[in-house]
Coordinates of all heavy atoms in Angstrom, one line a residue:
M13 N 150.0 220.5 63.3 CA 150.3 221.9 63.7 C 149.0 222.7 63.1 O 148.4 222.4 62.0 CB 151.5 222.4 62.9 CG 151.8 223.9 63.1 SD 153.3 224.5 62.4 CE 153.2 224.0 60.7
Q14 N 148.5 223.6 64.0 CA 147.4 224.4 63.6 C 148.0 225.9 63.4 O 148.9 226.1 64.2 CB 146.4 224.4 64.6 CG 145.6 223.0 64.7 CD 144.3 223.2 65.6 OE1 143.6 224.2 65.5 NE2 144.1 222.2 66.3
T15 N 147.4 226.6 62.5 CA 147.8 228.0 62.3 C 146.6 228.9 62.2 O 145.5 228.4 62.0 CB 148.7 228.1 61.1 OG1 149.2 229.5 61.0 CG2 147.9 227.8 59.9
E16 N 146.8 230.2 62.7 CA 145.7 231.2 62.5 C 146.3 232.6 62.4 O 147.4 232.8 62.9 CB 144.8 231.1 63.7 CG 145.2 231.5 65.0 CD 144.1 231.5 66.1 OE1 143.5 230.4 66.3 OE2 144.0 232.5 66.8
K17 N 145.6 233.4 61.9 CA 146.0 234.8 61.9 C 145.3 235.5 63.1 O 144.1 235.4 63.3 CB 145.5 235.5 60.5 CG 146.1 234.8 59.4 CD 147.5 235.4 59.2 CE 148.1 234.8 57.8 NZ 149.6 235.2 57.6
Y18 N 146.0 236.4 63.7 CA 145.5 237.1 64.8 C 146.2 238.5 65.0 O 147.4 238.6 65.2 CB 145.7 236.2 66.1 CG 145.1 236.8 67.4 CD1 143.8 236.8 67.7 CD2 145.9 237.3 68.5 CE1 143.1 237.2 68.8 CE2 145.3 237.9 69.6 CZ 144.0 237.8 69.8 OH 143.4 238.3 70.9
R19 N 145.4 239.6 64.9 CA 145.8 240.9 65.0 C 147.1 241.2 64.3 O 148.1 241.8 64.8 CB 146.1 241.2 66.6 CG 144.9 241.2 67.3 CD 145.1 241.6 68.8 NE 143.8 242.0 69.4 CZ 143.7 242.4 70.6 NH1 144.9 242.6 71.3 NH2 142.7 242.7 71.1
G20 N 147.3 240.8 63.0 CA 148.4 241.0 62.2 C 149.6 240.0 62.4 O 150.6 240.1 61.7
Y21 N 149.4 239.0 63.3 CA 150.5 238.1 63.6 C 149.9 236.7 62.9 O 148.8 236.4 62.8 CB 150.7 237.8 64.9 CG 151.3 239.0 65.6 CD1 150.6 240.2 66.1 CD2 152.7 239.1 65.8 CE1 151.2 241.2 66.8 CE2 153.3 240.2 66.5 CZ 152.5 241.2 66.9 OH 153.3 242.3 67.6
T22 N 150.9 235.7 62.7 CA 150.6 234.4 62.2 C 151.0 233.6 63.7 O 152.1 233.8 64.1 CB 151.4 233.9 61.0 OG1 151.2 234.8 59.9 CG2 151.1 232.6 60.7
L23 N 150.1 232.8 63.9 CA 150.2 231.9 65.2 C 150.3 230.5 64.7 O 149.5 230.1 63.9 CB 149.1 232.1 66.2 CG 148.7 233.6 66.5 CD1 147.6 233.6 67.5 CD2 149.9 234.5 67.0
W24 N 151.2 229.7 65.3 CA 151.3 228.3 65.2 C 151.1 227.6 66.5 O 151.8 227.9 67.5 CB 152.6 227.9 64.5 CG 152.7 228.3 63.1 CD1 152.0 227.9 62.1 CD2 153.7 229.3 62.6 NE1 152.5 228.5 61.0 CE2 153.5 229.3 61.3 CE3 154.7 230.0 63.3 CZ2 154.4 230.2 60.5 CZ3 155.5 230.8 62.4 CH2 155.3 230.8 61.1
G25 N 150.3 226.6 66.5 CA 150.3 225.7 67.6 C 150.7 224.4 67.3 O 150.3 223.7 66.4
H26 N 151.8 223.8 68.1 CA 152.5 222.7 67.8 C 152.2 221.5 68.8 O 152.0 221.8 69.9 CB 154.0 222.9 67.8 CG 154.4 224.1 67.1 ND1 154.6 224.0 65.9 CD2 154.8 225.3 67.6 CE1 155.1 225.3 65.4 NE2 155.2 226.0 66.5
A27 N 152.1 220.4 68.3 CA 152.1 219.2 69.1 C 153.3 218.2 68.8 O 153.5 217.8 67.6 CB 150.8 218.4 68.8
I28 N 154.1 217.8 69.8 CA 155.2 216.9 69.5 C 155.0 215.7 70.4 O 154.7 215.7 71.5 CB 156.5 217.7 70.1 CG1 156.7 218.9 69.2 CG2 157.7 216.9 69.8 CD1 156.6 220.2 70.2
V29 N 155.0 214.6 69.7 CA 154.8 213.3 70.3 C 155.7 213.0 71.4 O 157.0 213.3 71.2 CB 154.8 212.1 69.3 CG1 154.7 210.8 70.0 CG2 153.7 212.3 68.3
Q30 N 155.3 212.6 72.5 CA 156.2 212.2 73.7 C 155.9 210.8 74.1 O 154.8 210.5 74.5 CB 156.0 213.2 75.0 CG 156.1 214.7 74.6 CD 157.6 215.0 74.3 OE1 158.3 214.9 75.2 NE2 157.9 215.5 73.1
Q31 N 156.8 209.9 74.0 CA 156.7 208.6 74.6 C 158.0 208.2 75.1 O 158.9 207.8 74.3 CB 156.1 207.8 73.5 CG 155.9 206.4 73.9 CD 155.1 205.5 72.9 OE1 155.4 205.7 71.6 NE2 154.4 204.5 73.2
E32 N 158.2 208.0 76.4 CA 159.4 207.5 77.0 C 159.7 206.1 76.7 O 160.9 205.7 76.6 CB 159.4 207.9 78.4 CG 159.5 209.3 78.7 CD 159.6 209.6 80.2 OE1 160.1 208.7 81.0 OE2 159.2 210.7 80.7
D33 N 158.7 205.2 76.7 CA 158.8 203.9 76.6 C 157.7 203.3 75.7 O 156.6 203.8 75.7 CB 158.8 203.2 78.0 CG 159.1 201.8 78.0 OD1 158.4 201.0 77.4 OD2 160.1 201.3 78.7
I34 N 158.0 202.3 75.0 CA 157.0 201.7 74.0 C 155.7 201.2 74.8 O 154.7 201.2 74.3 CB 157.6 200.5 73.2 CG1 156.7 200.1 72.0 CG2 157.9 199.4 74.0 CD1 156.6 201.1 71.0
L35 N 155.9 200.9 76.1 CA 154.8 200.4 76.9 C 154.0 201.5 77.6 O 153.0 201.3 78.1 CB 155.3 199.4 78.0 CG 156.0 198.2 77.4 CD1 156.4 197.3 78.6 CD2 155.0 197.4 76.5
Q36 N 154.6 202.7 77.5 CA 153.8 204.0 78.0 C 152.9 204.5 77.0 O 153.1 204.4 75.8 CB 154.9 204.9 78.5 CG 155.8 204.5 79.5 CD 155.2 204.3 80.8 OE1 154.3 205.1 81.2 NE2 155.6 203.2 81.5
P37 N 151.8 205.2 77.3 CA 150.8 205.8 76.5 C 151.5 207.0 76.0 O 152.4 207.6 76.4 CB 149.7 206.2 77.4 CG 150.2 206.2 78.7 CD 151.4 205.2 78.9
I38 N 151.1 207.3 74.7 CA 151.7 208.5 73.9 C 150.9 209.8 74.5 O 149.8 209.8 74.8 CB 151.3 208.4 72.5 CG1 152.2 207.2 71.8 CG2 151.6 209.6 71.7 CD1 151.8 207.0 70.4
H39 N 151.8 210.7 74.8 CA 151.4 212.1 75.0 C 151.8 213.1 74.1 O 152.7 212.8 73.3 CB 151.8 212.5 76.5 CG 151.1 211.7 77.5 ND1 151.7 210.6 78.0 CD2 149.9 212.0 78.2 CE1 150.7 210.1 79.0 NE2 149.7 211.0 79.1
F40 N 151.3 214.3 74.1 CA 151.8 215.4 73.1 C 152.1 216.6 73.9 O 151.4 217.0 74.7 CB 150.6 215.6 72.2 CG 150.3 214.6 71.3 CD1 149.3 213.6 71.7 CD2 150.8 214.3 70.0 CE1 148.9 212.5 71.0 CE2 150.5 213.2 69.2 CZ 149.5 212.3 69.8
A41 N 153.4 217.0 73.7 CA 153.8 218.3 74.2 C 153.2 219.4 73.4 O 153.4 219.4 72.2 CB 155.3 218.4 74.3
G42 N 152.7 220.4 74.0 CA 152.2 221.6 73.2 C 153.2 222.7 73.4 O 153.7 223.0 74.4
S43 N 153.2 223.5 72.3 CA 154.0 224.8 72.3 C 153.5 225.7 71.2 O 152.6 225.3 70.5 CB 155.6 224.5 71.9 OG 155.6 223.9 70.6
G44 N 153.9 226.9 71.3 CA 153.4 227.9 70.2 C 154.4 228.7 69.7 O 155.5 228.9 70.4
T45 N 154.2 229.4 68.6 CA 155.2 230.2 67.9 C 154.4 231.4 67.3 O 153.3 231.2 66.7 CB 156.0 229.5 66.7 OG1 156.6 228.4 67.2 CG2 157.0 230.4 66.0
V46 N 155.0 232.7 67.5 CA 154.3 233.9 67.0 C 155.3 234.4 66.0 O 156.4 234.5 66.1 CB 154.1 234.9 68.1 CG1 153.5 236.1 67.7 CG2 153.4 234.4 69.3
A47 N 154.6 234.7 64.8 CA 155.5 235.3 63.7 C 154.7 236.6 63.2 O 153.4 236.7 63.3 CB 155.7 234.3 62.6
R48 N 155.6 237.4 62.6 CA 155.0 238.6 61.9 C 155.9 238.9 60.7 O 157.0 238.9 60.8 CB 154.9 239.9 62.8 CG 154.4 241.1 62.3 CD 154.2 242.2 63.3 NE 152.8 242.7 62.9 CZ 152.2 243.5 63.7 NH1 152.6 243.8 64.9 NH2 151.0 244.1 63.3
D49 N 155.2 239.0 59.6 CA 155.9 239.2 58.3 C 156.9 238.2 58.1 O 158.1 238.6 57.7 CB 156.5 240.6 58.3 CG 155.5 241.8 58.4 OD1 154.4 241.6 57.9 OD2 155.8 242.8 59.1
T50 N 156.6 237.0 58.2 CA 157.4 235.7 58.1 C 158.6 235.7 59.0 O 159.5 234.8 58.7 CB 157.9 235.6 56.6 OG1 158.8 236.6 56.3 CG2 156.7 235.8 55.6
K51 N 158.7 236.5 60.0 CA 159.7 236.4 61.0 C 159.2 236.0 62.3 O 158.2 236.5 62.8 CB 160.5 237.8 61.0 CG 161.1 238.1 59.9 CD 161.8 239.6 60.0 CE 162.5 240.0 58.8 NZ 163.0 241.3 58.7
V52 N 159.9 235.0 62.9 CA 159.5 234.5 64.3 C 159.8 235.6 65.2 O 160.9 236.2 65.3 CB 160.3 233.2 64.6 CG1 160.0 232.9 66.0 CG2 159.9 232.1 63.7
V53 N 158.8 236.0 66.0 CA 158.8 237.1 67.1 C 159.1 236.4 68.4 O 159.9 236.9 69.2 CB 157.5 237.9 67.0 CG1 157.6 238.9 68.2 CG2 157.3 238.6 65.7
E54 N 158.3 235.3 68.7 CA 158.4 234.7 70.0 C 158.0 233.2 69.9 O 157.3 232.9 69.0 CB 157.6 235.4 71.0 CG 157.7 234.9 72.4 CD 159.1 235.3 73.0 OE1 159.4 236.4 73.2 OE2 159.8 234.4 73.4
A55 N 158.7 232.4 70.7 CA 158.2 231.0 70.8 C 158.2 230.5 72.2 O 159.0 231.0 73.1 CB 159.3 230.1 70.0
S56 N 157.3 229.8 72.5 CA 157.1 229.2 73.9 C 158.1 228.0 74.1 O 158.6 227.3 73.1 CB 155.8 228.7 74.2 OG 155.4 227.6 73.5
G57 N 158.2 227.6 75.3 CA 158.8 226.4 75.5 C 157.7 225.3 75.5 O 156.5 225.6 75.1
V58 N 157.9 224.1 76.1 CA 156.9 223.1 76.3 C 155.7 223.7 77.3 O 156.2 224.2 78.5 CB 157.4 221.8 76.7 CG1 156.2 220.9 77.1 CG2 158.2 221.2 75.6
L59 N 154.6 223.7 76.9 CA 153.5 224.3 77.8 C 152.8 223.2 78.5 O 151.9 223.6 79.5 CB 152.4 225.0 76.9 CG 153.0 226.3 76.1 CD1 151.9 226.6 75.0 CD2 153.4 227.3 76.9
G60 N 153.1 222.0 78.4 CA 152.6 220.9 79.1 C 152.4 219.7 78.2 O 152.6 219.8 77.0
L61 N 151.9 218.6 78.8 CA 151.7 217.4 78.1 C 150.1 217.1 78.0 O 149.5 217.3 79.1 CB 152.4 216.2 78.8 CG 153.8 216.2 78.8 CD1 154.4 215.0 79.6 CD2 154.4 216.2 77.4
F62 N 149.8 216.7 76.9 CA 148.2 216.5 76.6 C 148.0 215.1 76.0 O 148.9 214.6 75.4 CB 147.8 217.6 75.6 CG 148.1 219.0 76.1 CD1 149.4 219.6 75.9 CD2 147.2 219.7 77.0 CE1 149.7 220.9 76.4 CE2 147.5 220.9 77.5 CZ 148.7 221.4 77.3
D63 N 146.7 214.8 76.2 CA 146.4 213.5 75.8 C 146.3 213.3 74.2 O 146.4 212.2 73.7 CB 145.1 212.9 76.4 CG 145.3 212.6 77.9 OD1 146.5 212.3 78.3 OD2 144.3 212.8 78.7
T64 N 145.9 214.4 73.6 CA 145.7 214.4 72.2 C 146.6 215.5 71.5 O 146.9 216.6 72.2 CB 144.2 214.7 71.7 OG1 143.8 216.0 72.1 CG2 143.3 213.7 72.4
D65 N 146.8 215.3 70.2 CA 147.6 216.4 69.5 C 146.8 217.7 69.3 O 147.3 218.7 69.5 CB 148.0 215.9 68.1 CG 146.9 215.4 67.2 OD1 145.8 215.1 67.7 OD2 147.2 215.3 66.0
E66 N 145.5 217.5 69.1 CA 144.6 218.7 69.0 C 144.6 219.5 70.3 O 144.7 220.8 70.4 CB 143.2 218.4 68.7 CG 142.3 219.5 68.5 CD 140.9 219.3 68.1 OE1 140.5 218.0 68.1 OE2 140.3 220.2 67.7
E67 N 144.6 218.9 71.5 CA 144.7 219.7 72.8 C 146.0 220.5 72.9 O 146.0 221.6 73.3 CB 144.5 218.7 74.0 CG 143.2 218.2 74.2 CD 143.1 217.2 75.4 OE1 144.0 216.2 75.3 OE2 142.3 217.3 76.2
A68 N 147.1 219.7 72.6 CA 148.4 220.3 72.5 C 148.5 221.5 71.5 O 148.9 222.6 72.1 CB 149.5 219.3 72.2
E69 N 148.0 221.4 70.4 CA 147.9 222.5 69.4 C 147.1 223.7 69.9 O 147.6 224.9 69.8 CB 147.5 222.0 68.0 CG 148.4 221.0 67.4 CD 147.9 220.4 66.3 OE1 146.6 220.4 66.0 OE2 148.7 219.6 65.6
L70 N 146.0 223.5 70.5 CA 145.0 224.4 70.9 C 145.7 225.3 72.1 O 145.5 226.5 72.2 CB 143.6 223.9 71.3 CG 142.8 223.5 70.2 CD1 141.6 222.8 70.6 CD2 142.5 224.6 69.2
M71 N 146.4 224.5 73.0 CA 147.1 225.3 74.0 C 148.2 226.2 73.5 O 148.4 227.3 74.0 CB 147.7 224.2 74.9 CG 148.5 224.9 76.1 SD 147.8 226.1 77.0 CE 146.6 225.2 78.1
G72 N 148.9 225.7 72.5 CA 149.9 226.5 71.8 C 149.3 227.8 71.2 O 149.8 228.8 71.4
L73 N 148.2 227.7 70.4 CA 147.4 228.8 69.9 C 147.1 229.8 71.0 O 147.2 231.0 70.9 CB 146.4 228.4 69.1 CG 146.7 227.7 67.7 CD1 145.5 227.2 67.1 CD2 147.4 228.7 66.9
S74 N 146.5 229.2 72.1 CA 146.0 230.1 73.2 C 147.1 230.8 73.8 O 147.0 232.0 74.1 CB 145.4 229.1 74.3 OG 145.0 229.8 75.5
W75 N 148.4 230.2 74.0 CA 149.5 230.9 74.5 C 150.0 232.1 73.5 O 150.2 233.1 74.0 CB 150.7 229.9 74.7 CG 151.9 230.6 75.2 CD1 152.3 230.8 76.4 CD2 153.0 231.2 74.3 NE1 153.5 231.5 76.5 CE2 153.9 231.7 75.2 CE3 153.1 231.3 73.0 CZ2 155.0 232.4 74.7 CZ3 154.2 232.0 72.5 CH2 155.2 232.4 73.3
C76 N 149.8 231.7 72.4 CA 150.3 232.8 71.2 C 149.3 234.0 71.4 O 149.8 235.1 71.3 CB 150.1 232.2 69.8 SG 151.4 230.9 69.5
R77 N 148.0 233.8 71.4 CA 147.0 234.8 71.6 C 147.3 235.8 72.8 O 147.3 236.9 72.7 CB 145.6 234.4 71.5 CG 145.1 233.9 70.1 CD 143.6 233.6 70.2 NE 143.3 232.4 69.6 CZ 143.3 231.2 70.1 NH1 143.4 231.1 71.5 NH2 143.1 230.2 69.4
A78 N 147.5 235.1 73.9 CA 147.9 235.7 75.1 C 149.2 236.6 75.1 O 149.3 237.7 75.5 CB 148.1 234.7 76.3
W79 N 150.2 236.0 74.3 CA 151.4 236.7 74.1 C 151.1 238.0 73.3 O 151.6 239.1 73.6 CB 152.5 235.8 73.4 CG 153.7 236.6 73.3 CD1 154.8 236.5 74.2 CD2 154.2 237.5 72.3 NE1 155.8 237.3 73.9 CE2 155.5 238.0 72.7 CE3 153.7 238.0 71.2 CZ2 156.2 238.9 72.0 CZ3 154.3 238.9 70.4 CH2 155.6 239.4 70.7
V80 N 150.4 237.9 72.2 CA 150.2 239.0 71.4 C 149.3 240.1 72.1 O 149.6 241.3 72.0 CB 149.2 238.6 70.1 CG1 148.8 239.8 69.3 CG2 150.1 237.7 69.1
D81 N 148.4 239.6 72.9 CA 147.6 240.6 73.7 C 148.4 241.3 74.7 O 148.1 242.5 75.0 CB 146.4 239.8 74.4 CG 145.3 239.4 73.6 OD1 145.2 239.8 72.3 OD2 144.5 238.4 74.0
G82 N 149.4 240.7 75.2 CA 150.4 241.4 76.2 C 151.4 242.2 75.5 O 152.0 243.0 76.2
H83 N 151.8 241.8 74.4 CA 153.1 242.4 73.8 C 152.8 243.1 72.4 O 153.7 243.8 71.9 CB 154.2 241.3 73.6 CG 154.6 240.7 74.9 ND1 154.0 239.6 75.5 CD2 155.5 241.1 75.7 CE1 154.6 239.4 76.5 NE2 155.6 240.3 76.8
G84 N 151.8 242.7 71.8 CA 151.6 243.1 70.3 C 151.0 244.4 70.1 O 150.8 245.4 70.4

């Protein structure tokens, strides 16, 4: 999980391992969570599947920034 402060909000980018079968390659589902003053304000659903946990986390943070820009 990656976190950052942005315009008074705390943003989290999440990566959740996705593997349907032991013989299938591992992918990571990306998602994001926006919080303010320790309270969750908004959370995304799954934003897509990515090849690395870092890509998934960065997509989550990107989604969070866009949400703050549009609603914050």
Side-chain angles (χ1 to χ4, degrees):
M13 178 172 59
Q14 291 190 38
T15 186
E16 71 178 53
K17 298 286 186 181
Y18 184 74
R19 295 185 167 185
Y21 291 85
T22 302
L23 313 179
W24 290 295
H26 310 281
I28 302 114
V29 173
Q30 303 291 300
Q31 187 176 26
E32 292 183 25
D33 186 299
I34 193 73
L35 299 176
Q36 298 293 321
I38 293 175
H39 289 95
F40 297 87
S43 65
T45 303
V46 179
R48 186 168 217 163
D49 301 325
T50 70
K51 295 180 182 173
V52 172
V53 176
E54 188 65 63
S56 75
V58 172
L59 300 169
L61 294 179
F62 303 88
D63 292 331
T64 68
D65 58 341
E66 184 175 13
E67 288 176 310
E69 291 167 351
L70 291 174
M71 176 54 74
L73 289 174
S74 179
W75 178 89
C76 290
R77 281 188 230 92
W79 187 92
V80 170
D81 290 344
H83 298 88

